Amino acid sequence: MNAAARVFSWPLRVYWEDTDAGGIVFYANYLKFFERSRTEWLRSLGIEQQRLRETTGGIFVVAETSIRYHRSARLDDELIVTASLVEAGRASMIISQQVLLKTEQTPAQPAPLLCEGSIRIGWVDAASLQPRRIPASILDSLKHDTATT
């Protein structure tokens, strides 16, 4: 399934624990921000990962990431972290993600782009970690999400 899905946005504030000694977000924490946004995006579609594991025996795992950093976020910044489906296959999907600086957003100026990435997540059996097909119920939710755009 290739589709132009809606862009899901999740607000996030930068806390002390997210930064280095200089008050700048540590580069690896952007992956955590992406993870939170993807989780909340799936939750908004009625896909709760713990329930999926219990009912299907499967889980999502990150298989590949590509990240480009444009500008640093700092302590106390308000961010917007997005997630948007790029492609969904039988066993994996590619999600485009961005971190935007809400603190500098105005009616005349969009939120500046801080970081962008492409994340491939795969569906695996939780016990064996062997690849499996993504359950049809998940693919149906994703198709419905792209259809409402």
Side-chain angles (χ1 to χ4, degrees), residues 102-118:
K102 182 179 179 184
T103 306
E104 292 186 11
Q105 183 179 22
T106 67
Q109 176 76 23
L113 176 63
L114 302 180
C115 176
E116 60 187 327
S118 176

PDB file of all heavy atoms in Angstrom, residues 102-118:
ATOM      1  N   LYS A 102       7.912  24.330  17.680  1.00  0.00           N
ATOM      2  CA  LYS A 102       6.656  25.046  17.881  1.00  0.00           C
ATOM      3  C   LYS A 102       6.892  26.410  18.536  1.00  0.00           C
ATOM      4  O   LYS A 102       6.165  27.365  18.271  1.00  0.00           O
ATOM      5  CB  LYS A 102       5.712  24.215  18.745  1.00  0.00           C
ATOM      6  CG  LYS A 102       4.367  24.871  18.964  1.00  0.00           C
ATOM      7  CD  LYS A 102       3.460  24.015  19.805  1.00  0.00           C
ATOM      8  CE  LYS A 102       2.137  24.725  20.009  1.00  0.00           C
ATOM      9  NZ  LYS A 102       1.266  23.965  20.913  1.00  0.00           N
ATOM     10  N   THR A 103       7.915  26.500  19.381  1.00  0.00           N
ATOM     11  CA  THR A 103       8.228  27.732  20.101  1.00  0.00           C
ATOM     12  C   THR A 103       8.375  28.927  19.157  1.00  0.00           C
ATOM     13  O   THR A 103       8.015  30.040  19.508  1.00  0.00           O
ATOM     14  CB  THR A 103       9.522  27.551  20.934  1.00  0.00           C
ATOM     15  OG1 THR A 103       9.374  26.399  21.762  1.00  0.00           O
ATOM     16  CG2 THR A 103       9.807  28.753  21.806  1.00  0.00           C
ATOM     17  N   GLU A 104       8.886  28.697  17.942  1.00  0.00           N
ATOM     18  CA  GLU A 104       9.106  29.793  16.989  1.00  0.00           C
ATOM     19  C   GLU A 104       8.028  29.873  15.911  1.00  0.00           C
ATOM     20  O   GLU A 104       8.157  30.645  14.962  1.00  0.00           O
ATOM     21  CB  GLU A 104      10.486  29.660  16.345  1.00  0.00           C
ATOM     22  CG  GLU A 104      11.615  29.898  17.317  1.00  0.00           C
ATOM     23  CD  GLU A 104      12.978  29.902  16.645  1.00  0.00           C
ATOM     24  OE1 GLU A 104      13.061  29.929  15.398  1.00  0.00           O
ATOM     25  OE2 GLU A 104      13.974  29.868  17.393  1.00  0.00           O
ATOM     26  N   GLN A 105       6.966  29.101  16.054  1.00  0.00           N
ATOM     27  CA  GLN A 105       5.879  29.126  15.076  1.00  0.00           C
ATOM     28  C   GLN A 105       5.001  30.358  15.313  1.00  0.00           C
ATOM     29  O   GLN A 105       4.678  30.689  16.445  1.00  0.00           O
ATOM     30  CB  GLN A 105       5.030  27.860  15.220  1.00  0.00           C
ATOM     31  CG  GLN A 105       3.920  27.738  14.222  1.00  0.00           C
ATOM     32  CD  GLN A 105       3.143  26.445  14.429  1.00  0.00           C
ATOM     33  OE1 GLN A 105       3.148  25.859  15.502  1.00  0.00           O
ATOM     34  NE2 GLN A 105       2.479  26.002  13.382  1.00  0.00           N
ATOM     35  N   THR A 106       4.646  31.032  14.231  1.00  0.00           N
ATOM     36  CA  THR A 106       3.735  32.174  14.293  1.00  0.00           C
ATOM     37  C   THR A 106       2.693  32.002  13.187  1.00  0.00           C
ATOM     38  O   THR A 106       2.868  31.163  12.301  1.00  0.00           O
ATOM     39  CB  THR A 106       4.481  33.511  14.069  1.00  0.00           C
ATOM     40  OG1 THR A 106       4.954  33.551  12.714  1.00  0.00           O
ATOM     41  CG2 THR A 106       5.650  33.685  15.040  1.00  0.00           C
ATOM     42  N   PRO A 107       1.628  32.814  13.200  1.00  0.00           N
ATOM     43  CA  PRO A 107       0.657  32.712  12.100  1.00  0.00           C
ATOM     44  C   PRO A 107       1.287  32.940  10.725  1.00  0.00           C
ATOM     45  O   PRO A 107       0.850  32.363   9.730  1.00  0.00           O
ATOM     46  CB  PRO A 107      -0.360  33.796  12.433  1.00  0.00           C
ATOM     47  CG  PRO A 107      -0.277  33.946  13.914  1.00  0.00           C
ATOM     48  CD  PRO A 107       1.169  33.721  14.261  1.00  0.00           C
ATOM     49  N   ALA A 108       2.331  33.761  10.664  1.00  0.00           N
ATOM     50  CA  ALA A 108       2.979  34.048   9.382  1.00  0.00           C
ATOM     51  C   ALA A 108       4.162  33.129   9.093  1.00  0.00           C
ATOM     52  O   ALA A 108       4.643  33.072   7.966  1.00  0.00           O
ATOM     53  CB  ALA A 108       3.457  35.500   9.367  1.00  0.00           C
ATOM     54  N   GLN A 109       4.630  32.408  10.107  1.00  0.00           N
ATOM     55  CA  GLN A 109       5.841  31.592   9.968  1.00  0.00           C
ATOM     56  C   GLN A 109       5.566  30.165  10.436  1.00  0.00           C
ATOM     57  O   GLN A 109       5.204  29.963  11.591  1.00  0.00           O
ATOM     58  CB  GLN A 109       6.960  32.206  10.819  1.00  0.00           C
ATOM     59  CG  GLN A 109       8.247  31.427  10.866  1.00  0.00           C
ATOM     60  CD  GLN A 109       9.067  31.554   9.614  1.00  0.00           C
ATOM     61  OE1 GLN A 109       8.932  32.520   8.872  1.00  0.00           O
ATOM     62  NE2 GLN A 109       9.903  30.579   9.347  1.00  0.00           N
ATOM     63  N   PRO A 110       5.730  29.168   9.560  1.00  0.00           N
ATOM     64  CA  PRO A 110       5.551  27.788  10.020  1.00  0.00           C
ATOM     65  C   PRO A 110       6.647  27.399  11.014  1.00  0.00           C
ATOM     66  O   PRO A 110       7.695  28.049  11.084  1.00  0.00           O
ATOM     67  CB  PRO A 110       5.663  26.967   8.731  1.00  0.00           C
ATOM     68  CG  PRO A 110       6.395  27.829   7.776  1.00  0.00           C
ATOM     69  CD  PRO A 110       6.122  29.260   8.169  1.00  0.00           C
ATOM     70  N   ALA A 111       6.406  26.363  11.769  1.00  0.00           N
ATOM     71  CA  ALA A 111       7.391  25.886  12.738  1.00  0.00           C
ATOM     72  C   ALA A 111       8.651  25.424  12.002  1.00  0.00           C
ATOM     73  O   ALA A 111       8.571  24.623  11.068  1.00  0.00           O
ATOM     74  CB  ALA A 111       6.803  24.743  13.554  1.00  0.00           C
ATOM     75  N   PRO A 112       9.822  25.919  12.403  1.00  0.00           N
ATOM     76  CA  PRO A 112      11.071  25.514  11.745  1.00  0.00           C
ATOM     77  C   PRO A 112      11.358  24.017  11.919  1.00  0.00           C
ATOM     78  O   PRO A 112      11.099  23.439  12.970  1.00  0.00           O
ATOM     79  CB  PRO A 112      12.137  26.340  12.463  1.00  0.00           C
ATOM     80  CG  PRO A 112      11.408  27.478  13.088  1.00  0.00           C
ATOM     81  CD  PRO A 112      10.050  26.956  13.413  1.00  0.00           C
ATOM     82  N   LEU A 113      11.903  23.416  10.871  1.00  0.00           N
ATOM     83  CA  LEU A 113      12.276  22.006  10.883  1.00  0.00           C
ATOM     84  C   LEU A 113      13.601  21.832  11.614  1.00  0.00           C
ATOM     85  O   LEU A 113      14.597  22.470  11.265  1.00  0.00           O
ATOM     86  CB  LEU A 113      12.400  21.491   9.445  1.00  0.00           C
ATOM     87  CG  LEU A 113      12.876  20.056   9.256  1.00  0.00           C
ATOM     88  CD1 LEU A 113      11.876  19.062   9.864  1.00  0.00           C
ATOM     89  CD2 LEU A 113      13.091  19.771   7.774  1.00  0.00           C
ATOM     90  N   LEU A 114      13.608  20.970  12.631  1.00  0.00           N
ATOM     91  CA  LEU A 114      14.832  20.689  13.379  1.00  0.00           C
ATOM     92  C   LEU A 114      15.482  19.383  12.933  1.00  0.00           C
ATOM     93  O   LEU A 114      16.693  19.282  12.849  1.00  0.00           O
ATOM     94  CB  LEU A 114      14.539  20.612  14.882  1.00  0.00           C
ATOM     95  CG  LEU A 114      13.908  21.841  15.520  1.00  0.00           C
ATOM     96  CD1 LEU A 114      13.680  21.601  17.002  1.00  0.00           C
ATOM     97  CD2 LEU A 114      14.763  23.071  15.282  1.00  0.00           C
ATOM     98  N   CYS A 115      14.650  18.390  12.684  1.00  0.00           N
ATOM     99  CA  CYS A 115      15.156  17.059  12.393  1.00  0.00           C
ATOM    100  C   CYS A 115      14.111  16.317  11.566  1.00  0.00           C
ATOM    101  O   CYS A 115      12.913  16.514  11.770  1.00  0.00           O
ATOM    102  CB  CYS A 115      15.395  16.337  13.725  1.00  0.00           C
ATOM    103  SG  CYS A 115      15.917  14.634  13.603  1.00  0.00           S
ATOM    104  N   GLU A 116      14.562  15.481  10.637  1.00  0.00           N
ATOM    105  CA  GLU A 116      13.631  14.665   9.863  1.00  0.00           C
ATOM    106  C   GLU A 116      14.220  13.276   9.690  1.00  0.00           C
ATOM    107  O   GLU A 116      15.441  13.106   9.697  1.00  0.00           O
ATOM    108  CB  GLU A 116      13.312  15.298   8.516  1.00  0.00           C
ATOM    109  CG  GLU A 116      14.513  15.496   7.617  1.00  0.00           C
ATOM    110  CD  GLU A 116      14.175  16.284   6.369  1.00  0.00           C
ATOM    111  OE1 GLU A 116      13.044  16.155   5.860  1.00  0.00           O
ATOM    112  OE2 GLU A 116      15.053  17.025   5.903  1.00  0.00           O
ATOM    113  N   GLY A 117      13.333  12.306   9.569  1.00  0.00           N
ATOM    114  CA  GLY A 117      13.824  10.951   9.424  1.00  0.00           C
ATOM    115  C   GLY A 117      12.838  10.038   8.742  1.00  0.00           C
ATOM    116  O   GLY A 117      11.657  10.360   8.591  1.00  0.00           O
ATOM    117  N   SER A 118      13.358   8.919   8.322  1.00  0.00           N
ATOM    118  CA  SER A 118      12.567   7.849   7.742  1.00  0.00           C
ATOM    119  C   SER A 118      12.833   6.612   8.587  1.00  0.00           C
ATOM    120  O   SER A 118      13.992   6.252   8.820  1.00  0.00           O
ATOM    121  CB  SER A 118      12.998   7.613   6.297  1.00  0.00           C
ATOM    122  OG  SER A 118      12.311   6.523   5.749  1.00  0.00           O
TER     123      SER A 118
END
